[in-house]
């Protein structure tokens, strides 16, 4: 693929759980092709990847996340007994703070905005100052999974609820291009890749099923009805959020028309398959290469 003349970029990184690991591959290819990323706006996993990149630590994070197996991911989940969410979300943030090092957003070498949702006011909030991992923690607070975060008197949850592709924070940037990465692309066949596994308690178990079993065991404690359910609780949440975010993402992309859109198919993984990091990074790389090739050819 021909190298494109260096251009400055405002990069918009969308929400979508584990699919957000594809953002790493997108960034890798853009850098290799000579693009200079000067500004990043992100929701949820897009905020996490974007914030770490803006801090200059994406390679450190990539090395860490690609070494995780399913049991490692499970160990990062800290049970919450608040009744509002299954996990507190503090253990993963503490781990990342130790790995990356926290700092204030305004001191980062790249402009960065994390988007969260104000639960009480029903509006999006742009976090572009203050501690980096406070902003990331607020943006990734996926309802019912991670506890909401109280920040400066506001109750904040996942930014993807209202803005899964947050282009608006980049509108006043002085860059050559705005490139948006949506994790809600149309479903299509993806060649199966064998991911890492771990034997837990002497038996093989997918991370997907392990989480489902755990969530459903919690549900059974408070519900003894013998009803038949075609889909489990966690899948319903995942698919519901995907449906909502896909619709909002299409509207945002149509309204703001970025210069380039990279779409990751929404069926490449579920929102919590973080053990598939290598595969998802490769998907991000390939999707970006395909889009850039199309730009060159046209």
């Amino acid at each position: 693929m021909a190298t494109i003349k260096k251009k400055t970029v405002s990069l918009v990184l969308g929400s979508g759980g584990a699919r957000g690991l594809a953002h790493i591959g997108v960034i890798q290819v853009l850098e290799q092709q000579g693009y200079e990323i000067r500004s990043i706006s992100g929701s949820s996993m897009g905020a996490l990847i974007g914030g770490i990149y803006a801090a200059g630590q994406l390679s450190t994070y990539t090395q860490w996340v690609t070494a995780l197996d399913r049991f490692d991911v499970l160990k990062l989940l800290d049970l919450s007994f608040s009744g509002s969410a299954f996990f507190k979300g503090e253990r993963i943030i503490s781990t990342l703070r130790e790995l990356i090092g926290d700092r204030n957003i305004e001191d980062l070498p790249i402009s960065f905005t994390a988007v969260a949702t104000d639960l009480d006011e029903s509006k999006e909030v742009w976090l572009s100052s203050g501690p980096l991992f406070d902003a990331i923690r607020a943006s990734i607070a996926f309802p019912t999974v991670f506890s909401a975060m109280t920040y400066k008197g506001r109750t904040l949850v996942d930014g993807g609820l209202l803005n899964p592709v947050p282009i608006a924070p980049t509108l006043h940037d002085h860059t050559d291009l705005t490139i948006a990465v949506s994790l809600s692309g149309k479903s299509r066949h993806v060649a199966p890749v064998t991911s890492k596994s771990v034997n837990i308690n002497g038996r093989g178990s997918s991370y997907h099923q392990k989480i489902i079993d755990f969530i459903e065991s919690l549900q059974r404690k408070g519900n003894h009805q013998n009803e038949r359910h075609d889909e489990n609780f966690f899948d319903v949440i995942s698919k519901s959020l995907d449906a909502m975010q896909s619709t909002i993402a299409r509207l945002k992309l149509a309204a703001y028309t970025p210069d380039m859109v990279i779409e990751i198919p929404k069926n490449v993984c579920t929102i919590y398959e973080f053990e598939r990091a290598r595969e998802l990074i490769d998907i991000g790389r390939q999707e970006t290469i395909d889009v850039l090739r199309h730009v060159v050819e046209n």
Side-chain angles (χ1 to χ4, degrees):
M1 184 172 62
T3 301
I4 298 172
K5 183 179 178 181
K6 190 170 187 176
K7 291 185 177 181
T8 58
V9 170
S10 293
L11 184 61
V12 179
L13 301 179
S15 62
R19 289 195 300 274
L21 292 167
H23 290 320
I24 297 173
V26 173
I27 292 171
Q28 289 174 345
V29 171
L30 290 177
E31 286 192 323
Q32 290 165 3
Q33 292 302 307
Y35 289 93
E36 181 185 348
I37 301 169
R38 290 190 178 176
S39 171
I40 296 178
S41 174
S43 278
S44 196
M45 194 63 181
L48 190 150
I49 299 297
I52 290 174
Y53 176 76
Q57 295 295 322
L58 188 60
S59 60
T60 300
Y61 174 79
T62 302
Q63 184 177 10
W64 174 77
V65 77
T66 52
L68 296 179
D69 61 26
R70 293 165 181 162
F71 190 55
D72 291 328
V73 176
L74 285 170
K75 289 192 295 184
L76 292 170
L77 301 177
D78 44 358
L79 281 174
S80 171
F81 298 98
S82 66
S84 62
F86 291 114
F87 308 109
K88 290 184 285 188
E90 300 306 324
R91 186 176 298 164
I92 177 61
I93 290 298
S94 295
T95 300
L96 291 175
R97 276 196 175 103
E98 292 179 10
L99 180 71
I100 304 301
D102 206 357
R103 63 205 75 181
N104 286 334
I105 295 173
E106 57 267 34
D107 297 330
L108 300 178
I110 294 174
S111 175
F112 173 68
T113 301
V115 176
T117 298
D118 186 321
L119 200 57
D120 297 319
E121 298 293 331
S122 300
K123 64 181 182 181
E124 63 184 84
V125 177
W126 298 357
L127 303 172
S128 55
S129 64
L132 173 62
F133 280 102
D134 282 356
I136 290 173
R137 171 65 181 84
S139 189
I140 67 170
F142 186 95
T144 73
V145 177
F146 289 126
S147 301
M149 180 177 180
T150 301
Y151 185 75
K152 295 184 178 179
R154 291 172 159 175
T155 302
L156 302 181
V157 294
D158 197 298
L161 292 180
L162 294 182
N163 199 345
V165 189
I167 300 168
T170 69
L171 292 180
H172 298 294
D173 289 347
H174 298 291
T175 53
D176 297 321
L177 296 171
T178 297
I179 299 177
V181 186
S182 171
L183 304 179
S184 300
K186 291 182 179 179
S187 297
R188 66 173 188 267
H189 175 71
V190 178
V193 177
T194 302
S195 59
K196 293 185 292 182
S197 62
V198 63
N199 190 298
I200 303 173
N201 297 327
R203 63 182 181 89
S205 174
S206 71
Y207 175 54
H208 182 133
Q209 192 59 49
K210 194 72 177 177
I211 288 291
I212 289 170
D213 290 345
F214 172 73
I215 297 297
E216 290 190 332
S217 72
L218 293 179
Q219 289 287 349
R220 286 192 295 270
K221 290 179 180 179
N223 181 8
H224 299 290
Q225 296 178 6
N226 294 319
E227 298 182 64
R228 180 183 178 274
H229 298 284
D230 292 331
E231 292 188 281
N232 63 70
F233 176 79
F234 213 56
D235 273 347
V236 171
I237 293 176
S238 174
K239 290 179 180 179
S240 298
L241 188 66
D242 267 344
M244 179 186 70
Q245 290 189 345
S246 294
T247 300
I248 298 174
R250 287 195 298 271
L251 293 173
K252 295 291 184 182
L253 292 171
Y256 292 106
T257 58
D259 299 288
M260 194 182 303
V261 179
I262 298 165
E263 293 189 297
I264 307 301
K266 62 183 179 182
N267 66 322
V268 295
C269 73
T270 59
I271 62 172
Y272 40 86
E273 293 181 281
F274 286 91
E275 82 280 4
R276 295 172 60 189
R278 291 185 186 277
E279 177 188 353
L280 293 165
I281 292 169
D282 287 344
I283 289 172
R285 290 182 58 85
Q286 189 56 56
E287 295 299 322
T288 307
I289 289 170
D290 290 346
V291 169
L292 294 183
R293 182 180 291 118
H294 178 77
V295 170
V296 171
E297 291 174 350
N298 292 277

